[in-house]
Amino acid sequence: MKKILLFLVFLIFFSGLSAQTWTPAQLKAANTAKNISYLSQAEKEAIMYINLARLYPKLYVKIEMKFYVRNLNSYEKSLITELNTMKPVPTLLFDKACYESAKCFAKES
């Protein structure tokens, strides 16, 4: 019985190591637009995921692109190469004037 319990603890511990996800601290650091009331949830999430890629480029490939297994085109290969070789850069910070300009441009287009 003791061996079975020890095996289960071992299995649970090591299975958790292989399923890497974002930590709460990493998500908090990347979520720079969470308190901007006039952004949609999708816009907030887009900023957060861009920031995750900027702050943790290599980890972004491992976590967000791990199920991306189809044949990659040259743009996708280039993105993965760039993320795997780049150093972390600062997060994007929301700018209302830039947001309004982009919104206007989108309507005009």
Side-chain angles (χ1 to χ4, degrees):
M1 181 68 170
K2 208 174 193 183
K3 286 183 180 181
I4 294 173
L5 183 59
L6 186 59
F7 175 76
L8 289 174
V9 169
F10 179 81
L11 186 64
I12 291 168
F13 177 75
F14 283 104
S15 68
L17 290 179
S18 65
Q20 191 168 11
T21 60
W22 298 110
T23 67
Q26 290 168 324
L27 292 171
K28 183 178 179 181
N31 203 2
T32 59
K34 73 175 182 176
N35 294 324
I36 300 171
S37 61
Y38 49 87
L39 290 180
S40 70
Q41 188 60 34
E43 291 168 322
K44 291 176 185 182
E45 287 178 12
I47 292 170
M48 184 183 72
Y49 280 99
I50 290 168
N51 283 335
L52 286 169
R54 292 171 62 88
L55 290 169
Y56 316 102
K58 291 179 185 117
L59 193 55
Y60 188 87
V61 172
K62 288 180 184 174
I63 294 175
E64 297 301 330
M65 303 176 97
K66 65 184 172 189
F67 298 113
Y68 200 54
V69 294
R70 66 179 179 82
N71 292 332
L72 301 175
N73 67 37
S74 62
Y75 298 110
E76 295 160 336
K77 287 177 186 175
S78 174
L79 171 63
I80 290 171
T81 299
E82 179 71 23
L83 288 171
N84 278 323
T85 58
M86 74 181 272
K87 293 182 186 209
V89 294
T91 59
L92 295 176
L93 298 175
F94 185 77
D95 181 283
K96 187 173 183 172
C98 187
Y99 173 77
E100 293 298 332
S101 293
K103 195 171 165 182
C104 179
F105 179 77
K107 286 179 183 177
E108 294 296 321
S109 297

